[in-house]
Amino acid sequence: LCLNGKGIYTSTSYNDGIITISNKNNIAVTDCAENETGNITDPYSSNFGRGVWVASDASFTLWRGKIRNVWANTSSYASSGYYNGGGVYVTGGKFTMNGGSISRATSYKGNGGGVYVTGGEFIMNDGTIFGCKAVNGGAVYVGSGKITLNGGTITNNTATGNGGGVYINSITSSSVWDSSSRSYIYTYAPAAINNVAITRNSAVIGGGMYVNAPTTLNGTVITGNTATERGAGAAFMVPSSYKRSNYINYDHTLAGSLNISGNKVGEDASNLYLKSGALLPLVSGVSEGATVGVLTEDDPLKDNGGIEPVYISNDLGATDRFTSDKGYEVKADEKKNQLYIIAESYTVDITLG
């Protein structure tokens, strides 16, 4: 489908999208106009004109063109979930973004202003998602399913709750019965965030990202994001107790030339936030030149004046690629094969006389 610089406007059906794709149909949208002015939009600001709905077993590919000024906002449909996904609403289908943009897409009462995924898949290879707003996941919300971001920019999005840029709640897994252990073996497909720029987004927790499921961050730039409470860059919230012996690939992984810096709560640095007892990331693949600021809920400097190490990784990596947002030292524990932060201690000699 070529927009040719023209527009496709709002549907009159409340729960459908301006474009609804179902029954195993596949639609690709591009804009053949050189200035790329073609768009899918709600020009009347009717406050309910979702951009695209991708239903089960259907697929949608965006190459060029704009999805903008679209909405998922109606109290009468709130009980059925239609308040989610202002831009692209994926319910069991697949959305691939190879270019173009999603902007000013809003889910006032729900999640996923730009893109909402439940039981489906979102792949972003290029393009921009900006100026979107929702309760959680201002740009992207994955309630369940798969997400792979291989490029593109997610910027200037807002969540009134958590995850201004991206909110990852749950990911896909497969299971097989293991007769020897008499239990199911679950294999997970961690969210893959590769070489993406996540900048200038805002939320309460997780201005850039709110991570509640196993996730890989590889070569991604997360900078200039803000939060009102914590985790302005990215907030890792998965409890380590969720990882079981029969779970495969249930890990966070940091890799490549990451840049997680310059994110703030007020005037204070708040880059990669690790909740107390959180699943810690594997970091041995973080390459030279990377910079990752880390803030932990547990502080190595205790109220009673004591000092204790706080571990920040689940394997051993180069200490010079990590910094403490509070200025503590980052050290390697060779015996435990982990990195940790620790407050410096000093010995002061006092001569009385």
Side-chain angles (χ1 to χ4, degrees):
L1 174 62
C2 182
L3 296 172
N4 279 321
K6 306 298 182 181
I8 300 176
Y9 299 140
T10 187
S11 166
T12 58
S13 178
Y14 279 142
N15 58 345
D16 288 347
I18 296 172
I19 296 176
T20 297
I21 310 168
S22 59
N23 298 322
K24 299 183 179 181
N25 286 306
N26 307 311
I27 292 181
V29 170
T30 190
D31 187 7
C32 305
E34 186 174 348
N35 59 2
E36 201 173 343
T37 55
N39 58 84
I40 299 167
T41 187
D42 173 9
Y44 309 111
S45 297
S46 62
N47 291 355
F48 195 84
R50 174 180 289 116
V52 180
W53 185 356
V54 189
S56 182
D57 297 323
S59 71
F60 169 54
T61 303
L62 179 64
W63 288 94
R64 284 165 53 93
K66 302 177 176 67
I67 299 173
R68 64 183 185 89
N69 288 351
V70 284
W71 316 75
N73 177 30
T74 174
S75 58
S76 62
Y77 283 87
S79 61
S80 54
Y82 292 131
Y83 49 80
N84 296 315
V88 180
Y89 182 53
V90 183
T91 57
K94 180 179 180 180
F95 171 38
T96 302
M97 188 173 183
N98 291 325
S101 64
I102 301 172
S103 64
R104 295 192 293 277
T106 304
S107 300
Y108 278 124
K109 299 179 182 294
N111 304 321
V115 179
Y116 178 89
V117 181
T118 178
E121 182 175 7
F122 174 43
I123 300 173
M124 183 178 184
N125 295 316
D126 203 352
T128 304
I129 304 176
F130 69 96
C132 300
K133 186 175 182 179
V135 176
N136 298 301
V140 179
Y141 182 95
V142 181
S144 62
K146 296 178 67 175
I147 177 172
T148 304
L149 307 183
N150 294 317
T153 301
I154 296 173
T155 188
N156 283 304
N157 303 283
T158 303
T160 56
N162 302 325
V166 180
Y167 189 117
I168 301 169
N169 183 61
S170 178
I171 58 170
T172 298
S173 66
S174 59
S175 63
V176 294
W177 176 256
D178 179 48
S179 58
S180 61
S181 63
R182 299 190 60 81
S183 64
Y184 282 98
I185 305 297
Y186 295 89
T187 300
Y188 287 82
I193 316 299
N194 308 312
N195 304 307
V196 181
I198 300 175
T199 65
R200 297 189 298 185
N201 304 285
S202 63
V204 176
I205 302 174
M209 295 185 65
Y210 186 97
V211 178
N212 202 41
T215 296
T216 295
L217 299 179
N218 180 18
T220 286
V221 174
I222 302 176
T223 188
N225 303 283
T226 60
T228 57
E229 289 190 8
R230 52 193 180 274
F236 278 11
M237 309 298 285
V238 182
S240 59
S241 60
Y242 282 17
K243 184 178 174 67
R244 310 289 174 83
S245 60
N246 59 330
Y247 286 6
I248 298 175
N249 295 335
Y250 198 89
D251 296 293
H252 294 317
T253 302
L254 305 182
S257 184
L258 281 170
N259 180 357
I260 307 178
S261 65
N263 305 283
K264 291 187 175 184
V265 172
E267 296 300 317
D268 298 326
S270 182
N271 291 295
L272 176 60
Y273 174 79
L274 300 175
K275 181 178 173 63
S276 179
L279 179 68
L280 299 178
L282 302 170
V283 301
S284 59
V286 176
S287 61
E288 186 176 358
T291 176
V292 179
V294 179
L295 179 67
T296 58
E297 183 176 14
D298 295 327
D299 198 297
L301 188 59
K302 303 305 178 184
D303 291 339
N304 63 4
I307 298 173
E308 294 180 7
V310 176
Y311 288 88
I312 62 171
S313 74
N314 211 24
D315 65 355
L316 203 58
T319 57
D320 62 355
R321 292 156 201 182
F322 296 86
T323 61
S324 164
D325 287 344
K326 286 192 172 182
Y328 298 131
E329 291 184 277
V330 178
K331 293 188 174 183
D333 186 328
E334 302 286 348
K335 291 183 179 180
K336 288 190 173 184
N337 199 43
Q338 291 177 275
L339 298 179
Y340 66 95
I341 59 173
I342 190 75
E344 293 181 295
S345 60
Y346 298 92
T347 300
V348 180
D349 293 325
I350 302 175
T351 302
L352 302 176

